[in-house]
Amino acid sequence: MISRNVTIQNSVGLHARPATFFIQKANSYNSSIWVEKEDRRVNAKSLLGVLSLGIVKGMTITLIADGADEEEALAGLTDLIESGFNG
């Protein structure tokens, strides 16, 4: 199990369209992946879970992955967030 802190940089945060891109990317990996904000942790492959965190621009979240492709999963999701969901 590994984790990484990432700061949300796009203007609308992790809502609607960016959240959909994030979940699609998370679902492309076999590892279990979670998003943690403060004391709440949700399944990164669940749209309702991710939206329920209310993640906005400037927030730092923790991505956690556990599985065979955990390193690749965190790298891919971090790249997606840092690109502003453009890539």
Side-chain angles (χ1 to χ4, degrees):
M1 182 180 296
I2 60 172
S3 66
R4 180 177 299 171
N5 291 331
V6 184
T7 301
I8 303 300
Q9 299 170 352
N10 65 310
S11 60
V12 297
L14 205 48
H15 296 286
R17 179 172 239 165
T20 301
F21 293 147
F22 181 83
I23 279 107
Q24 289 172 342
K25 184 82 168 173
N27 276 300
S28 71
Y29 301 107
N30 292 320
S31 293
S32 296
I33 307 168
W34 299 273
V35 179
E36 195 170 73
K37 182 188 119 191
E38 296 161 1
D39 60 347
R40 293 194 54 215
R41 181 184 289 190
V42 300
N43 183 343
K45 298 179 181 185
S46 163
L47 181 59
L48 288 177
V50 171
L51 290 176
S52 75
L53 292 177
I55 298 166
V56 297
K57 180 178 181 174
M59 280 188 176
T60 299
I61 59 172
T62 303
L63 302 177
I64 303 160
D66 186 21
D69 58 355
E70 61 189 23
E71 300 252 354
E72 181 185 347
L74 286 194
L77 291 169
T78 299
D79 288 347
L80 179 66
I81 290 169
E82 289 179 349
S83 76
F85 298 88
N86 293 322

